[in-house]
Every structure is written in C-alpha cells, then in structure tokens.
Amino acid sequence: MKEDIWSQALKIISLDQRVDPVFYINIISKMNLVSYENNILVLSCRDDYSMNLVKGKELDDCVKSAVKMVSGMDTSVMYIVEGDNAAAINSIVSETKVKEKERQNNPNSGLTDEFTFENFIVGDCNRFAYASAISVAENPGLRQKNPLYLWGNSGLGKTHLMKAVGYKVKQLFPGKKVLYTTCEEFTNSYIACIKSKSPEEFRNKYRNTDVLLIDDIQFLINKTETQIEFFNTFESLVSAGKQIVITSDKSPKNLPELDSRLTSRFQNGVMMDIQPPDYETRKAIFLNKMQSTGIELDDDIVEYVCENVTNNVRELNGAFNIVTSYYALENGNINLDLVMSKLAPIVSPNKGKAITTDIIIDAVSKYYDISSDKILSKLKSAEIVNARSVAMYICRDMLEMQYTKIGESFGGKKHTTVMHACNKLTENETLMADVKIIEKKIADV
C-alpha cells in the first residue's frame, strides 16, 4: 500500500536521533502523503513556515533516508503546502522532466554519491582491490593498469568499487566522458544496432568515451558476435589510452568459454579478487549503516547479525533492512530472540560448528596423505605447496580468517604470500575441486 510508505517512514524518523522531538511532533508528523508515483513522493505541509523548516534542511535528509529505507530505492521527495493541488501536479511533472533529462544527458546515471570510495567499507577482504581502484581513478588510462579487472562472487562490492572509480574520475577530471553499462546492456545495444543497421551509432557510444565501466563480463559467454565487437571496442579504447574497468564473477582463467584473445587481454592489466567480508568488515558495515540512519541496536543484536550473516554484503544489507523494519514497527522494542526468528531464513547454515585451523589442516593432511608438519613447514615441493595452499584457502573460506591471521597459523607467513596462494588456487580447477570435497568432509563431521 502506498500509504504505508509514509506511515512506516514516520516510525523510522521518530527514532532518528537527529530529529528533535518537538520538530517531529509539530512539523514532520503533521505532513501527509499526497502522491507516490514513479519514485516521486509528494508530501503536504500545514503552511509555508512548516515547509521551509524542512525543505533543503537537515530534516529533509532525515525524511529522504527514512523513505529510501522503506521503499528500498532512491526516491525523490517533494513538498507542497496543504491544499495546493496544482503545486503537487507541477512538482511531479517538473521532477519527472528533470529525471528524464538527466537520463538522456547522463548515460552514466548510475554514478552517484551512493557509490563512492568514501562510503566503501575497507577490510582485509577487499583492501587491495580498493587501493587498485583508487589508483586507476586518479590516473586513468595507464597501460600497466588497463584494464582493471575486479572479480568475486555476487554481492561483495565489485559494482560499488567500479562505480566509485567512475564517480571519482568525474570529480577529478570533469571533462572526461565516463560510461557505465552492464554486459547485458552492451549486448542488447549491439543487437539493436544490427537490426537498425546503425553500427556507427553503437560504436560512437562505446568507443567515444574516456572511461568504460562494464559490469558482469561473464554474460558475453556464448555470444560470439558480441564478443568480437567487444574485443574491437576494447582494442580501440586501450590503444587510444582510454581506461576500461571490468567486473566478473570469475577470474579470466576460469572463463574458458570466452574468446582467448579477450581473457589474455584481461590478464595484461590489474586483476583483483574480492573475498566475502570478514567479521570485522561486516561489523564496520553494519555500524556504519546504523550511524547513517540514526538507529541504535543492542550489542548482542549487532554481534548476532555480524557473526551469522556471512555470505556477502548484499545479504548483510538485507538483514539490516529486516532488523530496522521491525525496529520501527515495534517502536524500538526489539530483542535478540525476535531478531533470531526473523533472520532464520538467511543466517549461514554451518554456523555453530566448531571448525578450527587444526581441524582444517588435519583434513587436508589426511586427504593428500601429507603430514601436518610438512604442510606447516617451509618445504616447497609441488605436492606440499598445493596442500598448504588448499589448507590456507579453506581457512579463508570456512573461517573467514584474515590473510594476516592465516599466515600466523602457518608458521608466520606474510599476508601477501597467503593472498597470492589463495588467488592462484582459484585458477586451478583440479585443486578447487579438491577444496569442495575437503570442505564437505569437514562440514559433515
């Protein structure tokens, strides 16, 4: 129901510490929903004085953040004086025109302050990818960093980092053209240009840009003609000193279905993987969201969410939205039991099993018939190095340990050594198959 949007938003605003109770009672709570269409919400205020106290002020930010939390999308909020229906219609029409004009004139409309380096939470799981992205944004087009290839599972922040690169480039170099697109959009545009027999229009769009950001390159698989066109676009941009940033769910070596010319080009640039967020990063993300929304939760609730929702950032955001929705509905009176019941469908199923590094090393030792002492030693024969890398990777995957802590558990290895071993392992299909078998054995114990 549209009416629920504002009523639920009001509950969240009432709990926002930035909002003075007097202002809430006398100003905010007196506003009524007039219209909610096409992500444009119109609210009526009692008089001009009330409207001027909200519009463009800090209260406006509080209202918008609450509405966004409830609607789950970026919603424009407009204000009119109560009874001025003409103003309501004009507000909707004018805002719709502004959005349409922005869409036409700014094809990279996905580049907003919602996805920046400043609001990206950095942890051991993404530190090197973050640093590489900043370096590219500050010096776009350098051949040794072209392309920047970010890979990892869904929901880990690849798109956020990619868009942050584009946003930063626009800040530092206002004259540069930045284009963000998905691989699906690129494919559809190419198909449309073939049907309309207008290849030049397509090529001008994608090749007449200084920074091309293309999301989910794996969707080029089984699209032979589109792969050829993308290869030509890639070559045209790189040879002209233009920057390309690519995201994928796999490393280039694990995309054998793609044209080998493409995967080899990808490997000539900077490849950075992003791992699932460790506990410290998850907690930093959760606390940051609490601060931005002005909501306070008991420590036991925060600890429970951050310890149990472990797969990716998107899932963590979903958990936060669930918790804060019930927080608003219950007027802030929620406890750990309620949170546990509401999050039961998304918490990690393996939580609670007492898996340790010793258990992992022992399982790897038995699987490869190599003693634990040798795995922890400095011996460098291929069999021992592979077993050691598998054990390190499983520690990372099942225990979400930081590279530094894994290194400490394996005889004081440097975090860069551990990171290199884990990254290299993902490119070896045989060893990754071993990982799945060993992890299943560990989980079934």
Side-chain angles (χ1 to χ4, degrees):
M1 294 291 291
K2 295 179 181 179
E3 292 76 12
D4 291 338
I5 293 289
W6 181 233
S7 62
Q8 290 181 35
L10 277 174
K11 292 181 179 180
I12 294 173
I13 296 169
S14 69
L15 300 169
D16 193 328
Q17 293 184 329
R18 296 173 295 174
V19 180
D20 187 297
V22 174
F23 276 91
Y24 175 79
I25 294 171
N26 294 298
I27 305 296
I28 302 294
S29 68
K30 304 296 184 183
M31 296 194 299
N32 295 307
L33 175 66
V34 177
S35 172
Y36 180 54
E37 300 287 345
N38 300 321
N39 294 336
I40 302 171
L41 184 136
V42 180
L43 298 172
S44 65
C45 304
R46 290 187 300 172
D47 47 44
D48 285 317
Y49 175 75
S50 298
M51 184 171 68
N52 291 332
L53 286 176
V54 178
K55 190 175 181 180
K57 305 296 194 305
E58 185 179 13
L59 285 176
D60 190 8
D61 293 334
C62 298
V63 170
K64 289 177 179 176
S65 63
V67 169
K68 182 178 179 180
M69 183 183 298
V70 174
S71 66
M73 58 189 69
D74 197 10
T75 302
S76 297
V77 179
M78 316 295 292
Y79 304 94
I80 64 168
V81 175
E82 191 173 308
D84 194 347
N85 294 329
I89 295 173
N90 289 336
S91 295
I92 296 171
V93 171
S94 62
E95 184 66 10
T96 301
K97 287 182 177 179
V98 168
K99 287 192 170 186
E100 178 62 20
K101 187 175 181 180
E102 287 179 348
R103 187 188 67 80
Q104 293 176 351
N105 296 336
N106 186 21
N108 51 301
S109 57
L111 306 179
T112 68
D113 59 7
E114 183 180 0
F115 300 105
T116 67
F117 289 123
E118 288 72 21
N119 60 24
F120 184 85
I121 304 299
V122 183
D124 193 45
C125 55
N126 55 34
R127 190 179 310 281
F128 292 98
Y130 172 81
S132 296
I134 287 182
S135 178
V136 165
E138 293 176 344
N139 298 281
L142 293 181
R143 182 168 288 275
Q144 61 268 35
K145 296 182 180 180
N146 211 359
L148 171 62
Y149 187 101
L150 304 170
W151 63 278
N153 291 332
S154 176
L156 299 182
K158 302 186 300 295
T159 300
H160 186 143
L161 268 186
M162 166 182 276
K163 289 186 175 182
V165 170
Y167 188 78
K168 192 67 173 180
V169 169
K170 293 298 291 183
Q171 285 184 316
L172 297 176
F173 311 97
K176 287 188 179 295
K177 294 182 179 179
V178 180
L179 175 62
Y180 167 79
T181 187
T182 65
C183 195
E184 184 178 9
E185 289 172 349
F186 182 90
T187 301
N188 291 338
S189 294
Y190 180 61
I191 293 172
C193 93
I194 293 175
K195 289 182 178 179
S196 63
K197 297 181 180 180
S198 55
E200 289 307 312
E201 181 180 345
F202 171 84
R203 288 166 186 165
N204 285 336
K205 175 181 179 180
Y206 289 101
R207 300 185 190 183
N208 186 27
T209 187
D210 296 297
V211 180
L212 175 63
L213 313 170
I214 185 157
D215 224 346
D216 293 323
I217 200 68
Q218 70 271 13
F219 285 107
L220 280 182
I221 291 173
N222 298 325
K223 299 177 178 69
T224 305
E225 294 299 319
T226 310
Q227 286 185 43
I228 294 172
E229 185 61 35
F230 181 74
F231 174 80
N232 293 331
T233 298
F234 184 100
E235 291 289 275
S236 174
L237 290 173
V238 171
S239 62
K242 310 301 184 182
Q243 181 67 49
I244 300 176
V245 183
I246 296 168
T247 70
S248 175
D249 63 352
K250 297 178 181 177
S251 67
K253 286 186 177 180
N254 287 329
L255 293 172
E257 302 90 342
L258 280 186
D259 189 323
S260 60
R261 295 181 303 169
L262 275 175
T263 54
S264 66
R265 296 301 193 281
F266 297 162
Q267 294 174 71
N268 282 339
V270 176
M271 296 184 297
M272 285 290 164
D273 73 315
I274 302 178
Q275 296 290 332
D278 48 48
Y279 170 77
E280 291 83 358
T281 305
R282 294 197 299 272
K283 187 170 183 179
I285 292 171
F286 201 85
L287 292 176
N288 183 66
K289 293 182 74 65
M290 285 173 55
Q291 182 179 14
S292 65
T293 54
I295 287 176
E296 291 188 358
L297 296 170
D298 291 341
D299 290 342
D300 59 349
I301 293 176
V302 175
E303 295 293 329
Y304 176 78
V305 174
C306 296
E307 286 180 356
N308 289 276
V309 183
T310 63
N311 289 334
N312 56 56
V313 177
R314 192 171 295 143
E315 193 175 82
L316 185 64
N317 288 338
F320 178 83
N321 290 337
I322 292 172
V323 172
T324 51
S325 294
Y326 281 98
Y327 181 90
L329 293 172
E330 300 294 333
N331 294 318
N333 297 315
I334 62 171
N335 54 39
L336 181 58
D337 289 338
L338 175 63
V339 171
M340 291 174 67
S341 67
K342 299 305 178 184
L343 296 186
I346 66 172
V347 298
S348 300
N350 290 329
K351 262 313 177 191
K353 295 188 177 180
I355 300 172
T356 65
T357 55
D358 289 339
I359 289 175
I360 291 172
I361 293 170
D362 182 63
V364 173
S365 171
K366 290 177 180 177
Y367 183 83
Y368 289 112
D369 194 20
I370 297 174
S371 71
S372 299
D373 290 342
K374 288 183 178 179
I375 292 176
L376 296 174
S377 71
K378 295 183 179 180
L379 296 176
K380 295 185 178 180
S381 66
E383 295 82 2
I384 294 174
V385 168
N386 285 342
R388 186 182 298 134
S389 296
V390 167
M392 288 177 172
Y393 182 90
I394 295 176
C395 286
R396 178 75 174 170
D397 191 40
M398 296 192 78
L399 302 182
E400 303 167 39
M401 293 175 67
Q402 296 180 2
Y403 292 123
T404 303
K405 293 180 180 178
I406 295 174
E408 292 172 357
S409 299
F410 282 76
K413 301 272 189 306
K414 294 182 179 179
H415 76 278
T416 51
T417 301
V418 178
M419 183 181 70
H420 176 73
C422 292
N423 288 345
K424 190 174 181 180
L425 186 76
T426 61
E427 300 171 0
N428 189 315
E429 293 183 2
T430 301
L431 292 181
M432 286 302 293
D434 289 346
V435 166
K436 292 185 183 299
I437 294 171
I438 297 170
E439 287 189 344
K440 188 176 187 307
K441 288 179 178 292
I442 294 171
D444 290 343
V445 173

